[in-house]
Every structure is written in structure tokens, then in C-alpha cells.
């Protein structure tokens, strides 16, 4: 398995500002992902974080709004840009080990936009 | 379009009894199915998975059953314990770069 940490664990931000969330994995993983869980809803995949190249975004998510970096095999960041109250969610990082299908999740970042 | 569905938003079960959680899917290309448990303020924790070439997988108190013809899977927890109270998510992968699609979740409450 993999142990994943995220920072910050929670934040309250003002409309129009940006927040960068960090994700650190304790082992080298093949794939890292970013999800959003809006209140009362399921997990929705935002993008796959690719090492050394641009992230692959799912339908409905764009790089300008959610820029993602992955400079090495164990670290990734997600920025939520120009925030609005609709961005209030839990943002989760996950990772998949080589040869496995299961993903391991971080504890999440609870974001509230006022 | 929701391809993984959990139609029961909640389930209440007595301690010691069996919990049965259900999940339906529509995409016949899914080849791996997983169950996750989530406590409040924590990330989902992987519980158990099953490949589409199998119809049953067991791990301790947890057993997952897959019925491919019905596009249905279920998670059985026997016996249920108070610590099992959590939200359970069903997820599926079609081998597409490891991406998972999640159901809406089922809140399980185990009562003494």
C-alpha cells in the first residue's frame, strides 16, 4: 500500500483567490489522481497527474481552473484558481502502485470559499 | 452519465448481523471492481476488489460477489461491527489508465 499526505487539511478562502494543495506519497507510484467530492456527492475525477508533462483532464475540468503539477514520482499539486463558492468541496489526491488497480487516497483537503 | 450506481443511500443493521451493500453498473467494459470505506474527515480506504473473471472474492469479514450478466455486485460484511459504520463506495475501472468511476455511496450504520 501507499501512505499519502495532503496539505492543507482545510482552508477557508475568499472568492477570487487561489489555493494550492500539496500531495505527497511515501513511495514511488505510477499514477496520481485528483478528485473532488462536493457536499453529499460521490467522488469525481478531476485529472490524472502525469510526471513531467501536462495533466490529463476529465470532461468539465480545465487546466486554467485546476492547474496540476507533478515534478516527480511522489509529489503533486493541485491549484484551485479564481475560486467561487461553487468550488467548496473536499479535494482528494490518490495514487496507484505499479501492477495494482486499487488507488490509495490522502485524507483530503476541505475547502470552503466565502 | 452515472455508470456506477448505488441505489441505497443508507443502510441500518444490527451488530452481529450481515450487511449487504449493492452496486449496479452499465458499462460492460469495466473489468475491475472495488469497494472503499470512508469515515468523516478521512480519505476513502480500499477494502476489497474483484476482477471481472471471478464471481467471488473474500477477505476476512468482507466478501464481494459479482454477477456479470446482471451487471451487479454486492459487498457482504459478516458479522457487522460498530466500527463498520461509514460510507461505502463502489468503484469500477475499465483499464483506461487506471481511472476509477465511483458510485454515490451508501451510509451504513451498525447499531448495538
Amino acid at each position: 500500500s501507499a501512505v499519502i499526505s495532503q496539505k492543507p487539511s482545510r482552508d477557508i478562502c475568499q472568492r477570487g483567490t487561489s489555493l494550492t494543495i500539496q500531495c505527497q506519497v511515501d513511495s514511488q507510484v505510477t499514477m496520481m489522481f485528483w478528485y473532488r467530492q462536493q457536499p453529499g456527492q460521490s467522488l469525481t475525477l478531476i485529472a490524472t497527474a502525469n510526471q513531467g508533462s501536462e495533466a490529463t483532464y476529465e470532461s468539465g475540468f480545465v487546466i486554467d481552473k485546476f492547474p496540476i503539477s507533478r515534478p516527480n514520482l511522489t509529489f503533486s499539486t493541485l491549484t484551485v484558481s479564481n475560486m467561487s463558492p461553487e468550488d467548496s468541496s473536499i479535494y482528494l489526491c490518490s495514487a496507484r502502485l505499479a501492477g495494482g488497480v486499487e488507488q490509495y487516497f490522502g485524507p483530503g483537503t476541505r475547502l470552503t470559499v466565502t | 452519465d452515472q455508470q456506477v450506481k448505488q441505489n441505497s443511500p443508507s443502510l441500518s443493521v444490527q451488530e452481529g448481523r450481515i450487511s449487504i451493500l449493492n452496486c449496479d453498473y452499465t458499462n460492460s467494459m469495466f473489468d475491475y471492481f472495488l469497494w472503499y470505506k470512508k469515515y468523516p474527515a478521512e480519505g476513502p480506504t480500499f477494502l476489497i476488489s474483484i476482477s471481472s473473471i471471478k464471481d467471488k472474492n473474500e477477505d476476512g469479514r468482507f466478501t464481494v460477489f459479482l454477477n456479470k450478466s446482471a451487471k451487479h455486485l454486492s459487498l457482504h460484511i459478516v458479522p457487522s461491527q460498530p466500527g463498520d459504520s461509514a460510507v461505502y463506495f463502489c468503484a469500477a475501472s475499465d483499464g483506461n489508465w487506471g481511472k476509477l468511476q465511483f458510485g454515490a455511496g451508501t451510509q451504513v450504520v451498525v447499531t448495538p
Side-chain angles (χ1 to χ4, degrees):
Chain A
S1 66
V3 177
I4 301 175
S5 59
Q6 283 184 236
K7 290 194 296 186
S9 59
R10 59 176 59 227
D11 208 340
I12 301 174
C13 301
Q14 288 195 340
R15 179 196 299 261
T17 62
S18 298
L19 175 72
T20 295
I21 303 167
Q22 298 180 7
C23 176
Q24 179 73 54
V25 188
D26 70 340
S27 55
Q28 293 189 350
V29 295
T30 57
M31 308 201 66
M32 296 181 73
F33 305 89
W34 287 97
Y35 290 83
R36 179 174 74 182
Q37 185 183 20
Q38 294 180 302
Q41 299 194 23
S42 185
L43 284 73
T44 301
L45 180 64
I46 297 172
T48 303
N50 300 310
Q51 189 213 348
S53 64
E54 193 171 289
T56 304
Y57 290 85
E58 297 300 303
S59 175
F61 298 96
V62 295
I63 187 171
D64 290 346
K65 176 67 175 177
F66 298 102
I68 289 170
S69 77
R70 187 180 173 192
N72 57 51
L73 288 173
T74 63
F75 184 79
S76 178
T77 65
L78 167 75
T79 299
V80 186
S81 303
N82 188 24
M83 288 183 284
S84 66
E86 292 72 34
D87 295 320
S88 296
S89 291
I90 298 174
Y91 291 86
L92 295 144
C93 169
S94 75
R96 190 181 75 153
L97 299 173
V101 177
E102 62 269 22
Q103 294 178 19
Y104 299 92
F105 284 83
T109 296
R110 182 178 293 273
L111 171 62
T112 302
V113 184
T114 61
Chain B
D1 179 31
Q2 192 76 7
Q3 298 187 42
V4 179
K5 300 178 183 178
Q6 294 175 257
N7 293 319
S8 298
S10 63
L11 171 69
S12 182
V13 63
Q14 273 192 319
E15 181 177 2
R17 308 293 287 266
I18 184 171
S19 295
I20 300 177
L21 291 82
N22 294 302
C23 179
D24 297 295
Y25 61 95
T26 58
N27 187 344
S28 58
M29 298 302 292
F30 287 145
D31 59 358
Y32 233 94
F33 303 89
L34 306 88
W35 285 94
Y36 284 84
K37 177 170 74 173
K38 187 180 186 299
Y39 294 119
E42 294 185 14
T45 302
F46 169 70
L47 273 179
I48 190 169
S49 64
I50 187 167
S51 163
S52 60
I53 63 174
K54 296 186 176 182
D55 55 17
K56 177 182 175 181
N57 189 26
E58 191 172 356
D59 184 1
R61 296 187 298 114
F62 302 93
T63 303
V64 56
F65 296 92
L66 175 63
N67 183 334
K68 282 185 64 178
S69 60
K71 293 190 176 67
H72 176 83
L73 66 154
S74 61
L75 175 68
H76 293 207
I77 307 173
V78 184
S80 300
Q81 300 174 353
D84 296 331
S85 296
V87 177
Y88 289 78
F89 290 100
C90 170
S93 171
D94 62 1
N96 183 10
W97 297 103
K99 296 192 293 186
L100 297 179
Q101 293 197 37
F102 284 82
T106 297
Q107 173 76 60
V108 172
V109 176
V110 180
T111 57

